[in-house]
Amino acid sequence: MQLELDGSEYTVTAGGITITLLPKEFALLQFLYRNRGRTFSREQLLDHVWPLEYPVERTVDDHIYRLRKKLAVLSGLGIRTVRGFGYSLTLPGSPAGVMINPTTNDLELRETIRGVFSKFHVYGQGKSMLTLARQQDILGFELDPEYSMVIHFVQGDLDWLLHTEEVPLKDRLFYLLLYHFFSGDPKERLAYCEQIIERQLLYPEYQLELEILTILDLFTLAGQPERAVERLERSHQVIAELGYENFIPVTMITELFVHLVAGTGDDELNRMDEAIGAVLQEKPFLREIGSYKVVKGLWSLRLEHWQESENLLDEGLQVLEMSEFVPLRLYALYRIVHFCRMFPPSKKLQRKYEDLFALELEQSGLNRMEKPLEHLMQQLLKSL
């Protein structure tokens, strides 16, 4: 297929069909067409198509989404998502995918890379995971489908998680559920979570995580911390029985948050705080360090230590931003906003974090995709 690109009118013509594009859509298509068969990360596309601007990676996703819809009338032409890396333009008769590297099928290398990814994941180093994923063609490996989904989740690629046909819905469902829980009223989200648990809709490992960890926060933010306190005993028991050592730090931090909302005395909170500090010395997971600082900031807020609270909250959010785990920063702000509604600080402080949360919703695309995500979740329950 040959494309006729008209830069004066921002049109593309093929097979007698002409499509009009927006200027940046045209620039993006033109760049991909000139480099057809090659795969580019979002970062690379930003450098080439938006060289003198400062957009975020979400900008690329939005333009790709619109381009795909407009180009759908041209049979065989498409923009392919390369798992965990980026995008490439495919045309009839053109090679689909990145250049073959001799080590791509090396099982020993694949296991090594998987181990490195796993270690980065455990330590909450989202930036390291993304960097490694973007080097697939250079280093000569192919990312496992499981970690491809994790990469899309970590970088906040809700568009892919919601619309991709590369992976079955059931495989993506847990990650979509987490995004669903990060928006809307906690009471409604709790009710939905309980239905998911009751109907056993997830794979066993995800089902278990929902039951022993995710639901704890939903109980708490929905104003039912006593139910979370009751569930915590089972959570600790399951973690000990199954040897889920890496679940220990996040569960302890959640426990501190639950008891903070429940009104537990400072002596008990201090005991939990000391225990968390000791665990994080042994397991310095970046995600958990950021979340821990956020919960400490909420504790200071409850004590009306306004400046200390703001400093800790900002520090925690900065750590989560540095980790580049987009969903966790989003959830931290969700936690802060709903905690402030239960225990209001000054209007200025409350407005600050509500504005930050609104900005995060916009940048993550949740504002734009909240309705289709909600529709998908409701259809899922109705179909059972």
Side-chain angles (χ1 to χ4, degrees):
M1 177 184 288
Q2 294 295 316
L3 303 184
E4 295 179 22
L5 298 169
D6 184 346
S8 62
E9 298 291 333
Y10 303 120
T11 61
V12 55
T13 301
I17 300 174
T18 298
I19 301 168
T20 302
L21 304 174
L22 296 174
K24 282 300 180 183
E25 293 171 351
F26 180 86
L28 178 58
L29 176 61
Q30 185 177 54
F31 176 76
L32 289 172
Y33 183 59
R34 288 173 178 170
N35 297 278
R36 50 193 177 275
R38 292 180 59 191
T39 303
F40 295 91
S41 69
R42 292 171 174 84
E43 214 168 47
Q44 290 170 323
L45 291 173
L46 286 174
D47 289 341
H48 287 286
V49 182
W50 289 267
L52 301 178
E53 302 171 49
Y54 301 94
V56 295
E57 291 189 352
R58 173 60 51 192
T59 302
V60 175
D61 296 335
D62 290 342
H63 281 71
I64 292 289
Y65 176 75
R66 291 199 298 268
L67 260 180
R68 279 174 170 159
K69 291 185 71 174
K70 292 181 178 180
L71 298 176
V73 296
L74 301 178
S75 178
L77 176 67
I79 299 175
R80 177 175 177 263
T81 300
V82 179
R83 291 197 301 262
F85 182 70
Y87 302 105
S88 67
L89 186 71
T90 59
L91 296 94
S94 66
V98 295
M99 186 180 298
I100 297 174
N101 191 302
T103 58
T104 300
N105 296 319
D106 188 299
L107 296 179
E108 185 179 354
L109 177 62
R110 176 169 291 190
E111 284 304 309
T112 300
I113 293 294
R114 186 178 177 85
V116 173
F117 260 96
S118 179
K119 188 65 70 174
F120 284 155
H121 192 195
V122 165
Y123 276 86
Q125 295 175 218
K127 186 174 183 179
S128 301
M129 295 170 66
L130 295 173
T131 300
L132 191 55
R134 289 165 180 159
Q135 302 302 314
Q136 289 180 81
D137 58 337
I138 296 172
L139 298 178
F141 73 93
E142 185 175 340
L143 195 63
D144 288 353
E146 176 189 347
Y147 272 107
S148 171
M149 281 193 299
V150 173
I151 287 293
H152 284 288
F153 175 68
V154 165
Q155 65 187 4
D157 195 353
L158 180 57
D159 190 1
W160 185 91
L161 289 168
L162 194 56
H163 297 112
T164 186
E165 296 179 358
E166 297 176 31
V167 180
L169 175 60
K170 187 166 184 178
D171 291 1
R172 296 175 273 131
L173 185 55
F174 178 67
Y175 301 106
L176 287 169
L177 278 170
L178 292 179
Y179 271 108
H180 186 239
F181 295 152
F182 296 159
S183 60
D185 181 80
K187 292 180 181 178
E188 294 177 1
R189 297 304 186 250
L190 172 60
Y192 190 90
C193 181
E194 290 180 312
Q195 290 182 72
I196 295 292
I197 290 174
E198 180 183 352
R199 301 186 188 193
Q200 299 285 306
L201 296 185
L202 302 176
Y203 291 123
E205 64 272 23
Y206 296 142
Q207 192 77 27
L208 187 62
E209 185 170 339
L210 209 63
E211 292 178 18
I212 68 172
L213 188 57
T214 309
I215 199 169
L216 298 177
D217 270 293
L218 292 174
F219 279 143
T220 306
L221 294 173
Q224 302 175 41
E226 67 285 349
R227 294 184 67 189
V229 171
E230 292 174 4
R231 180 68 64 95
L232 271 162
E233 183 177 349
R234 177 172 178 250
S235 300
H236 286 302
Q237 182 181 358
V238 170
I239 289 169
E241 288 177 354
L242 298 179
Y244 284 3
E245 291 187 5
N246 293 332
F247 272 48
I248 293 174
V250 65
T251 305
M252 293 176 71
I253 294 165
T254 300
E255 184 172 22
L256 178 63
F257 178 66
V258 168
H259 281 276
L260 175 63
V261 175
T264 301
D266 281 349
D267 288 345
E268 182 63 16
L269 293 178
N270 280 318
R271 184 196 63 76
M272 295 179 191
D273 183 36
E274 289 177 8
I276 293 170
V279 167
L280 289 179
Q281 285 288 328
E282 181 183 345
K283 300 178 182 293
F285 301 161
L286 205 56
R287 289 179 311 241
E288 280 67 39
I289 291 171
S291 298
Y292 173 52
K293 289 181 181 293
V294 166
V295 173
K296 290 269 286 185
L298 295 176
W299 187 0
S300 294
L301 187 149
R302 182 76 189 272
L303 295 172
E304 299 185 358
H305 299 163
W306 309 125
Q307 190 57 58
E308 178 184 346
S309 171
E310 186 174 6
N311 291 342
L312 283 166
L313 292 174
D314 289 350
E315 190 177 345
L317 291 172
Q318 286 169 8
V319 171
L320 292 172
E321 184 174 16
M322 182 175 65
S323 77
E324 294 199 16
F325 261 78
V326 172
L328 287 180
R329 178 177 162 83
L330 180 66
Y331 184 64
L333 284 163
Y334 185 72
R335 238 181 192 174
I336 294 169
V337 165
H338 286 284
F339 186 90
C340 288
R341 291 174 184 174
M342 290 187 285
F343 308 101
S346 67
K347 289 184 178 179
K348 180 181 178 182
L349 199 61
Q350 186 167 358
R351 191 180 309 115
K352 171 183 175 177
Y353 294 108
E354 286 184 347
D355 289 346
L356 282 175
F357 182 51
L359 179 62
E360 199 73 23
L361 287 173
E362 182 180 346
Q363 291 181 343
S364 67
L366 254 174
N367 275 351
R368 175 168 58 83
M369 287 178 275
E370 184 178 0
K371 287 185 179 179
L373 179 59
E374 178 70 27
H375 177 73
L376 174 65
M377 294 303 168
Q378 294 303 326
Q379 288 300 113
L380 183 67
L381 289 181
K382 288 178 183 178
S383 66
L384 297 173

